[in-house]
Amino acid sequence: MNIEFKHDLNPHQAYRIKKLKRQLQHAENYEEWKAVALKLDEESGTQEWKYDNSSSYFDSEIIAHRLNILRRYRHQKRTADLIYILSEGLSHDIANIAHPLLFTETYVGTKKLIEDYVEEVSQSLAFVASVACEDLSLKEKIEFFKNCEMVYGHPAIMFSGGATLGLFHTGVCKALMEQDLMPKVISGSSAGAIMTAMLGISEPSQIPDILSGEHFYSEAFHFRSLKELLKGNGGFADVKYLKKFLVENLGDLSFEEAYQKSGLDINISVAPYNVSHEDARIMNKYTAPDLLVWSAVLASCAVPILFPPVRLTGKRYDTVHTPYLASTRWVDGSVRSDFPQEKMSRLYNINYTIASQVNPHIVPFMQTDTKRFRKDLLSWPERIVRKHGKTIAMDVMDFTRDRMGRIPSVRRLLEHGYGIIDQRYYGDVNIIGNYSLKHYQYMLQNPRPELFQLLQREGERATWPKISSIETHARIGKTIQHCLELLEFSLKNKSTSAQTVEI
């Protein structure tokens, strides 16, 4: 909270705020949470911050100017001028309006100027698509909105690994889908790959059934006996049980077939086991259209030590299963690329990402947006420790690799460690699990109804405070998408009517 809006609270105000915070913690759904959050913003005085345009995080003058000119052109129906102004500012982060610290001052919303600007851009786009805009033909409108879609880009959501703690992702999905904010580009590694694949092989009408949890109840973790471990040839857990669970739930679909069924662009992250110089790969309808989804998920779940590395299986044109990249064995993608943001950006024109992070070795070190973007003097010691700690750890592994890298097991261990430390674990919007010691007891438990409900609710509660930010990021992109769909539907009906008349 900015110091200029931090008021001295009298005892009665402090009591009301404390009571509202308790209500916020016990909210049963997002609507209830939002209603209490708005009261909290009002009671604490942070609503005043929304109406003050001064900020070091975004350029309010640019936004105010664009807002006024868009309003004027829309009201005057100056279509050519309106399109010109819209086209020059097609970015979800124009004038830095998506800066994370613009969404940390209040529980709900951001600067009123930013909210008004996003609303005006959406209304201006809707005007261009409407019948009230008579200066453009239907085909010209469709061409304009296709260009807008390409320039503006698409959001993506990324699910981290985390073994059974990955059930948290179901709560994130549930909260986003209830608000119609779930992106159509999805990535996952390890436990996140299971969530990604479950969505990716399902028709939209089947998603509520998936999120009910029944498909997750299984004996995916079955630990081997000491006698079996001494024989070698595997990890602590038996991969056959996990494979059986995945085949039963994901079926016999390739990535291309999954896309045809769900309409979702799913991406599964896997890493080569023996090839140290090769980066992790993302498997999807473009990079591996014939690869079986369950096979990619099995590889992505092959956490070193817990499960043995696995080989991939593809489906040939005649539906026969064949080895895929047969000479390579694969392991958990999160050891090299938990969140494959750069690769997805190139493939799907991503404009912002939502990260759902539950990896138990990462969450304790994650920072809030307020801490990450602090630049005051008191934040320097922690920044220095984090930056140099990472550098020292990587230097130590480089030093060890140079001297002991000839031993295959040591080299692989160092490569995995290097990959874990050298990754970027943040998205543009971050939904992070709130851990206590008991969560580490859940990690390798087979999912059961009580545990599923507990972790799903944690995922929902962690998502609710982020929905306001995601809505602001998504509003213009969704308007472009909806306008394009309506225009193409109108063109299709027009063509059908013309054909009927000719007949």
Side-chain angles (χ1 to χ4, degrees), residues 394-408:
M394 294 174 70
D395 286 344
V396 168
M397 282 189 283
D398 274 334
F399 180 84
T400 308
R401 185 166 50 185
D402 290 341
R403 283 149 183 79
M404 301 181 65
R406 294 180 181 179
I407 304 172

Side-chain angles (χ1 to χ4, degrees), residues 158-170 172 189 191-192 338-339 355-364 366 425 431-435 439-440 443 455 458-459 462:
M158 307 176 294
F159 297 119
S160 76
T164 304
L165 295 174
L167 295 175
F168 175 96
H169 300 317
T170 67
V172 176
S189 59
D338 203 25
F339 293 155
S356 179
Q357 178 59 260
V358 291
N359 251 321
H361 61 287
I362 301 301
V363 167
M366 296 284 283
Y425 289 100
I431 303 169
I432 305 169
N434 184 18
Y435 283 178
H439 284 80
Y440 291 88
M443 275 183 57
L455 293 174
E458 288 186 6

Side-chain angles (χ1 to χ4, degrees), residues 1-62:
M1 187 185 298
N2 282 347
I3 190 68
E4 61 265 31
F5 298 104
K6 191 172 183 179
H7 303 298
D8 291 329
L9 302 176
N10 62 48
H12 186 54
Q13 283 179 302
Y15 170 75
R16 288 202 302 266
I17 289 173
K18 187 175 181 180
K19 184 179 178 181
L20 286 169
K21 285 184 176 180
R22 283 200 301 268
Q23 291 177 15
L24 200 67
Q25 291 173 353
H26 294 94
E28 291 297 320
N29 52 58
Y30 177 64
E31 287 69 28
E32 184 182 337
W33 183 94
K34 184 178 180 180
V36 176
L38 286 169
K39 290 179 183 177
L40 256 174
D41 285 338
E42 190 68 41
E43 193 68 48
S44 62
T46 54
Q47 285 283 11
E48 297 175 30
W49 173 85
K50 289 186 176 183
Y51 293 90
D52 179 19
N53 290 341
S54 63
S55 173
S56 59
Y57 302 127
F58 82 112
D59 194 323
S60 59
E61 291 184 6
I62 290 177

Side-chain angles (χ1 to χ4, degrees), residues 159 186-189 191-201 266-268:
F159 297 119
I186 309 171
S187 80
S189 59
I194 297 177
M195 184 74 254
T196 299
M198 288 281 200
L199 297 172
I201 57 93
I266 60 171
N267 301 265
I268 306 297

